[in-house]
mmCIF file of all heavy atoms in Angstrom:
data_model
loop_
_atom_site.group_PDB
_atom_site.id
_atom_site.type_symbol
_atom_site.label_atom_id
_atom_site.label_comp_id
_atom_site.label_asym_id
_atom_site.label_seq_id
_atom_site.Cartn_x
_atom_site.Cartn_y
_atom_site.Cartn_z
ATOM 1 N N CYS A 1651 -2.567 16.710 -23.328
ATOM 2 C CA CYS A 1651 -2.487 17.718 -24.389
ATOM 3 C C CYS A 1651 -1.689 17.252 -25.603
ATOM 4 O O CYS A 1651 -1.810 17.807 -26.684
ATOM 5 C CB CYS A 1651 -1.855 19.018 -23.854
ATOM 6 S SG CYS A 1651 -2.768 19.750 -22.476
ATOM 7 N N SER A 1678 -3.105 -10.378 -31.346
ATOM 8 C CA SER A 1678 -3.796 -10.259 -32.618
ATOM 9 C C SER A 1678 -5.008 -11.166 -32.703
ATOM 10 O O SER A 1678 -5.918 -10.937 -33.482
ATOM 11 C CB SER A 1678 -2.832 -10.591 -33.766
ATOM 12 O OG SER A 1678 -2.378 -11.925 -33.637
ATOM 13 N N LEU A 1769 8.593 -18.133 1.217
ATOM 14 C CA LEU A 1769 9.238 -17.889 -0.062
ATOM 15 C C LEU A 1769 8.931 -19.057 -0.983
ATOM 16 O O LEU A 1769 8.389 -20.079 -0.579
ATOM 17 C CB LEU A 1769 10.756 -17.727 0.111
ATOM 18 C CG LEU A 1769 11.176 -16.525 0.946
ATOM 19 C CD1 LEU A 1769 12.659 -16.593 1.266
ATOM 20 C CD2 LEU A 1769 10.850 -15.227 0.231
ATOM 21 N N CYS A 1862 1.650 -5.376 -19.347
ATOM 22 C CA CYS A 1862 2.558 -6.317 -20.024
ATOM 23 C C CYS A 1862 1.865 -7.175 -21.070
ATOM 24 O O CYS A 1862 2.497 -7.612 -22.020
ATOM 25 C CB CYS A 1862 3.238 -7.215 -18.999
ATOM 26 S SG CYS A 1862 4.209 -6.310 -17.775
#
Side-chain angles (χ1 to χ4, degrees):
C1651 301
S1678 61
L1769 296 170
C1862 301

